[in-house]
Amino acid sequence: MRRTAVRLGRLDLCSPVMPASGCFGPELRTVTSMDRLGAVVTKTVFSDLRSGNPASRLAETRAGMLNAVGIPSPGLAGFRATTLPAYRALGPKVIVSIGGLAVRDYLEVAAGLADEEFAAFEVNVSCPNLEHGGLDIGTDPRAIEAITRGVRDRGGDRPVIVKMTPNVTSVADIAHAAENAGAEALTVANTFVGLAVDLDTRRPVLGNVTGGMSGPAIKPLALRLVMQASRAVRIPVIGCGGIASVRDAAEFLVAGARAVQVGTANFTRPTVMSEIVEALPELLDRLGAHDVDDLVGTLATA
């Protein structure tokens, strides 16, 4: 696995492939080769119990899907008692995704998990911010800095990865805010906001009206954001958005990512992550690359 090993800040991973938060669970351990994954990312945990949004929560689109699940969560106590041990039992390093509806919520979760055993936090800042009228926390650089610093200070001296929203004017500004506050990596990016319409009823398909668009349709958009973010900061970027093959993953590496997360593809092909890792060495050979680092950021735009 030496050729596929990557380093993200203080995290040494045996491969650059991991699942996106919310798109993988311990129930898939029998169909995915756990030893091939660089890490596993948990579903996002909130401090309190959450049931999620009203039905319908999912809508298939021509090249992906919309989801408005609303991030159900067992709360901090349930996560510590049941969810986190199940992820730890899988074997790969565990990255815990945390969320909140206000800055203080993130800090509460980080403090509540400080004494637990896991590798890193992934801070999901694509949540509605009740302190600012429901706008995404991830659109405010000051909030990003406050959350990142707070999680670092309260989370037990472990790496902090910031998962960015794509729904911003300047991805570079948000990336700089996270880096300046001490983030060791960025995940670029979360889902794009979209709408599905039922023409017969003339109503939204989703109970929440809008939802997060994911899947192959967003890959070109995510690639652009990865390129912009990786060129704006010195910390590593994890690419996410429409990855369903080893070539997809390699394109994100060339665009500037050092690792990738696979999301929607896991629902239709739960073996996809293992397939990507298995095929990666052969693709490296074809591209004349000795290891993953030889591909990272090699996109020629001039």
Side-chain angles (χ1 to χ4, degrees), residues 2-300:
R2 183 177 61 84
R3 297 184 63 195
T4 61
V6 296
R7 185 173 179 85
L8 303 175
R10 287 178 283 166
L11 283 178
D12 289 310
L13 308 181
C14 67
S15 88
V17 180
M18 64 189 84
S21 175
C23 301
F24 171 89
E27 65 275 7
L28 294 179
R29 65 186 179 277
T30 59
V31 295
T32 301
S33 299
M34 292 294 127
D35 60 346
R36 296 185 182 275
L37 301 182
V40 289
V41 185
T42 72
K43 296 177 181 179
T44 300
V45 57
F46 287 73
S47 58
D48 298 322
L49 184 70
R50 286 172 55 89
S51 58
N53 288 330
S56 294
R57 296 181 173 191
L58 297 175
E60 188 175 358
T61 67
R62 187 168 297 176
M65 74 174 190
L66 285 166
N67 93 82
V69 174
I71 317 183
S73 172
L76 190 52
F79 183 83
R80 290 185 59 158
T82 305
T83 308
L84 183 55
Y87 276 95
R88 280 200 299 249
L90 295 175
K93 293 179 179 179
V94 177
I95 298 173
V96 173
S97 173
I98 65 173
L101 301 180
V103 172
R104 62 183 177 273
D105 295 342
Y106 290 87
L107 311 191
E108 180 180 345
V109 176
L113 293 172
D115 61 349
E116 293 286 351
E117 183 182 344
F118 58 95
F121 284 109
E122 182 178 77
V123 180
N124 179 1
V125 292
S126 298
C127 302
N129 186 352
L130 298 186
E131 295 171 334
H132 293 86
L135 296 175
D136 281 358
I137 289 175
T139 64
D140 181 356
R142 291 172 296 179
I144 295 291
E145 290 193 12
I147 291 169
T148 304
R149 284 201 177 96
V151 172
R152 286 190 67 215
D153 292 344
R154 294 165 174 79
D157 188 33
R158 51 174 55 90
V160 175
I161 302 165
V162 175
K163 185 171 186 178
M164 298 171 55
T165 174
N167 303 301
V168 295
T169 303
S170 171
V171 68
D173 289 346
I174 304 301
H176 279 304
E179 181 181 40
N180 292 340
E184 295 192 26
L186 305 172
T187 300
V188 181
N190 213 322
T191 55
F192 291 76
V193 178
L195 170 70
V197 172
D198 184 327
L199 188 58
D200 295 325
T201 64
R202 303 187 191 183
R203 295 184 60 83
V205 173
L206 296 174
N208 193 57
V209 182
T210 61
M213 177 70 185
S214 63
I218 74 165
K219 180 185 147 191
L221 305 175
L223 277 168
R224 170 180 169 267
L225 294 175
V226 164
M227 178 187 71
Q228 291 178 326
S230 65
R231 293 180 177 184
V233 297
R234 296 179 301 277
I235 58 177
V237 169
I238 304 167
C240 182
I243 297 171
S245 70
V246 69
R247 291 191 67 88
D248 290 337
E251 288 177 21
F252 274 86
L253 298 174
V254 168
R258 193 165 296 276
V260 297
Q261 291 183 354
V262 180
T264 302
N266 285 310
F267 297 129
T268 57
R269 204 166 86 247
T271 58
V272 62
M273 292 186 292
S274 297
E275 294 167 8
I276 290 172
V277 179
E278 184 175 356
L280 187 54
E282 181 181 349
L283 184 58
L284 291 174
D285 286 338
R286 288 171 54 195
L287 296 173
H290 175 71
D291 54 26
V292 169
D293 284 342
D294 284 347
L295 288 186
V296 175
T298 56
L299 182 67

